[in-house]
Amino acid sequence: MGTKDWMLFYASGEVSEVLRSSPKIDREATAALVARLYPSCDIRPIADGSLYSSNPPKGEVYAAVFPGLSIVCTQDAAGDAPTELDARFVGEAAGRTLYLHAMHSVVDFFAYAIWRPDGTLRRSFSLSPDSGVISDVGTPLPFEEKYLAGDPEFLESLDDEDEYPFRFHPLDLGEAALRALFGFNYEGVIQDDDPDLEEIVLAGYAVTPR
């Protein structure tokens, strides 16, 4: 696995339905969104990306405002504990559901969180082999159950001498979260009605503190 991402989804309804509709980016609203999130920074447009541009380096942000959905890809969503996400990102939801999803394949790190439209935290879960379970708040969602119980396919792949600290692979759970929450995967089985991630345009910005 080689997946990295750090993403925020602000949704008025089902994320997967919006992505499957081949939505068109509202560039004016997108620029305003980034300006609200980074009010003390100089913001300069750079080349467009797509939903594959989900792991921008520090100093860059990829974002899009679509009807019923806004997406922000930023390293500010890559912290170990989703509960530590800066309040300005949570406040931006303003009556919408906020989803955070982050994975880093080099260290087998995965994190996700969901905030309700009223701003309260519904679920936060993050872990890595080096740090163990970092955040575990709220009731696990159905897609987590197979993994938290011990993924049979993963366990069968381990040798007797393996000492992996979990009964599942964090990135497998991360891909399951992508499928359950957003209706796509970066790796694994592609379904017939999956959105074309390269066609989901995200505007790129260089973000520099003043």
Side-chain angles (χ1 to χ4, degrees):
M1 292 186 176
T3 303
K4 298 179 186 178
D5 71 64
W6 18 90
M7 307 184 292
L8 299 170
F9 288 71
Y10 298 88
S12 300
E14 291 293 327
V15 173
S16 59
E17 292 180 5
V18 176
L19 296 181
R20 285 198 298 267
S21 72
S22 301
K24 303 303 180 185
I25 185 173
D26 183 331
R27 292 190 180 274
E28 183 175 347
T30 300
L33 167 64
V34 175
R36 287 195 302 273
L37 293 176
Y38 293 92
S40 60
C41 292
D42 291 321
I43 300 169
R44 175 176 57 84
I46 57 176
D48 284 349
S50 71
L51 204 45
Y52 279 117
S53 307
S54 56
N55 61 334
K58 187 175 179 61
E60 293 184 9
V61 173
Y62 286 88
V65 173
F66 305 118
L69 176 66
S70 298
I71 300 173
V72 179
C73 299
T74 169
Q75 274 204 9
D76 289 313
D80 289 346
T83 51
E84 296 175 358
L85 181 69
D86 191 283
R88 72 184 190 276
F89 293 102
V90 179
E92 175 63 31
R96 297 170 292 174
T97 300
L98 170 59
Y99 301 89
L100 178 152
H101 187 283
M103 292 195 295
H104 198 310
S105 58
V106 174
V107 293
D108 290 355
F109 168 77
F110 164 62
Y112 95 100
I114 303 174
W115 287 263
R116 299 181 181 89
D118 65 2
T120 59
L121 183 66
R122 175 185 176 188
R123 176 68 171 142
S124 173
F125 188 67
S126 64
L127 75 168
S128 72
D130 289 341
S131 301
V133 174
I134 303 164
S135 177
D136 186 358
V137 180
T139 303
L141 269 62
F143 73 84
E144 300 179 59
E145 293 174 358
K146 162 187 171 181
Y147 299 93
L148 298 182
D151 179 5
E153 296 179 10
F154 178 69
L155 294 175
E156 289 173 3
S157 71
L158 295 177
D159 295 329
D160 292 339
E161 296 181 357
D162 286 337
E163 296 182 358
Y164 202 76
F166 305 123
R167 293 166 54 81
F168 60 92
H169 198 289
L171 299 188
D172 289 339
L173 179 56
E175 291 288 342
L178 287 173
R179 172 62 57 190
L181 302 177
F182 312 134
F184 69 87
N185 288 114
Y186 282 123
E187 297 190 353
V189 177
I190 304 299
Q191 300 183 7
D192 291 341
D193 63 345
D194 279 2
D196 185 342
L197 302 185
E198 291 184 350
E199 296 298 318
I200 308 297
V201 174
L202 304 183
Y205 300 90
V207 178
T208 307
R210 295 192 185 104

